[in-house]
Amino acid sequence: MSSVLAPIPEFVVERPVSDDRISGRVTHAMRYWLLSLTGRVDNTPERLGTVEKTTQAASLSATAIAVPSIAPGVYRLSAAARITRAASSSSSLTITFGWTQVVACTASSAAMTGNTIATTGSLVAIVRADQATNLTYATTYASSGATAMQYRLDICVEQLV
């Protein structure tokens, strides 16, 4: 997720950036704008890792998301899935995240059972994870009929705190 930064305010653009050309000191207006910009950047979550899976046609067992070493903290795990080929009869897909906070924890999405290529589902979990824990994802897949359902899965991990 990218952060859209506000344009430089007019009160800053209409005035010179520095008080004088010799000292190069920044005006108060520009200083306050830069400080607010710094605050926004500091408060933006850091994206640690992503996963992109296409043309999947089976369940995915619990798989660690490749991220740098996890420090204890709060993380946002986000997943989006879409059926890319409908099954000839029926299908179902569920997404599950896993992490450790003293004990093994999981969060699962509702089953996606629409069985059309417009069927989508998502899961967002805000979790507190222990140090050096694996953040994992898995899917539970079911499909019936001659044509098997296929799906796409996109996952993102962001550190919040």
Side-chain angles (χ1 to χ4, degrees):
M1 179 172 112
S2 62
S3 180
V4 178
L5 301 174
I8 298 174
E10 286 184 32
F11 71 85
V12 173
V13 175
E14 293 172 356
R15 297 181 181 148
V17 173
S18 63
D19 288 332
D20 63 57
R21 295 173 200 248
I22 297 171
S23 73
R25 291 184 180 169
V26 175
T27 63
H28 286 293
M30 183 58 132
R31 181 173 178 264
Y32 289 126
W33 182 77
L34 290 171
L35 287 171
S36 70
L37 181 64
T38 302
R40 282 199 61 192
V41 170
D42 286 345
N43 290 324
T44 301
E46 180 183 359
R47 182 173 52 190
L48 299 178
T50 60
V51 174
E52 181 181 313
K53 297 286 189 179
T54 59
T55 61
Q56 298 299 298
S59 292
L60 298 173
S61 60
T63 305
I65 303 168
V67 296
S69 180
I70 295 291
V74 178
Y75 298 85
R76 177 172 38 220
L77 310 175
S78 307
R82 183 176 74 84
I83 306 299
T84 56
R85 183 175 74 191
S88 47
S89 185
S90 65
S91 65
S92 174
L93 181 69
T94 304
I95 306 163
T96 302
F97 287 132
W99 69 97
T100 302
Q101 183 183 356
V102 180
V103 297
C105 302
T106 61
S108 296
S109 69
M112 298 168 39
T113 58
N115 199 39
T116 70
I117 60 170
T119 302
T120 62
S122 62
L123 173 62
V124 176
I126 298 182
V127 305
R128 175 167 293 282
D130 291 342
Q131 185 167 354
T133 186
N134 281 327
L135 303 174
T136 65
Y137 67 93
T139 60
T140 304
Y141 168 97
S143 180
S144 64
T147 302
M149 178 263 281
Q150 288 184 348
Y151 65 96
R152 174 188 178 97
L153 179 66
D154 294 286
I155 295 172
C156 180
V157 176
E158 298 166 289
Q159 184 172 12
L160 302 177
V161 178

